[in-house]
Amino acid sequence: MKNFVVKTLANAAALAVAIWLVQDITLTGDSTGKKALTLVLVALLFGVVNFIVKPVVKFLSFPLFILTLGLITFVINALMLLLTSWLAGKLDLNFHVEGFWTALLGGLIISIVSWALNVVLPDDED
C-alpha cells in the first residue's frame, strides 16, 4: 500500500512539472485545493492507464520496438497521456492535453521526472 501511495504521488509530481513546463497541458480549478485533488485523481487515472492499457499496446507494437530500437516508447507514452486526457474529460476532471506534439513533450517530461523521483523515493521492498 505504501508503494502505491508513493508511486501515485510521484505521478502527481511528474504531471505537475509537465503542467508547469508545457503551456498546452492544462489543469484548471476554482481553488488550489480543487486543483490538488484533480491532480491526484488524474495521477491515479494515469497510473491505471499505464498499468492496464500500456502493456497491451507495448505487446502489440513489439515489432515497432525492434524496428525503431525502442524509440516508439516515446510515442506510446504520448498516446497514454492523450488517453488520460480524454478519460479525464469523460470523468469531468479539468485536465487537458492539446495535441500529439504537446503530449510527446509532456510524456518525455513525465518520464524523466518519474524516473528521478522513483530513484530518490523509498521503495516498499526495503
Side-chain angles (χ1 to χ4, degrees):
M1 183 66 174
K2 180 180 169 184
N3 194 24
F4 173 74
V5 172
V6 169
K7 298 282 185 190
T8 301
L9 291 176
N11 267 345
L15 283 164
V17 170
I19 291 165
W20 179 58
L21 289 176
V22 182
Q23 182 179 4
D24 289 335
I25 299 177
T26 57
L27 179 86
T28 56
D30 297 334
S31 65
T32 305
K34 285 188 179 184
K35 285 183 182 180
L37 178 63
T38 301
L39 183 62
V40 170
L41 292 174
V42 170
L44 284 169
L45 183 61
F46 188 62
V48 168
V49 166
N50 280 330
F51 182 74
I52 295 173
V53 179
K54 191 174 183 178
V56 175
V57 172
K58 283 176 114 177
F59 177 76
L60 293 175
S61 63
F62 183 71
L64 289 174
F65 273 94
I66 295 170
L67 186 63
T68 65
L69 302 174
L71 292 177
I72 193 73
T73 303
F74 296 121
V75 173
I76 291 173
N77 288 343
L79 293 175
M80 295 305 109
L81 190 58
L82 283 172
L83 178 60
T84 301
S85 174
W86 180 77
L87 288 172
K90 295 295 181 188
L91 297 172
D92 289 330
L93 297 173
N94 295 323
F95 174 75
H96 184 69
V97 178
E98 186 66 40
F100 174 77
W101 295 109
T102 301
L104 190 68
L105 180 59
L108 181 62
I109 291 168
I110 290 168
S111 296
I112 292 169
V113 173
S114 292
W115 170 80
L117 288 175
N118 286 324
V119 166
V120 172
L121 293 174
D123 202 0
D124 213 16
E125 297 172 2
D126 293 344

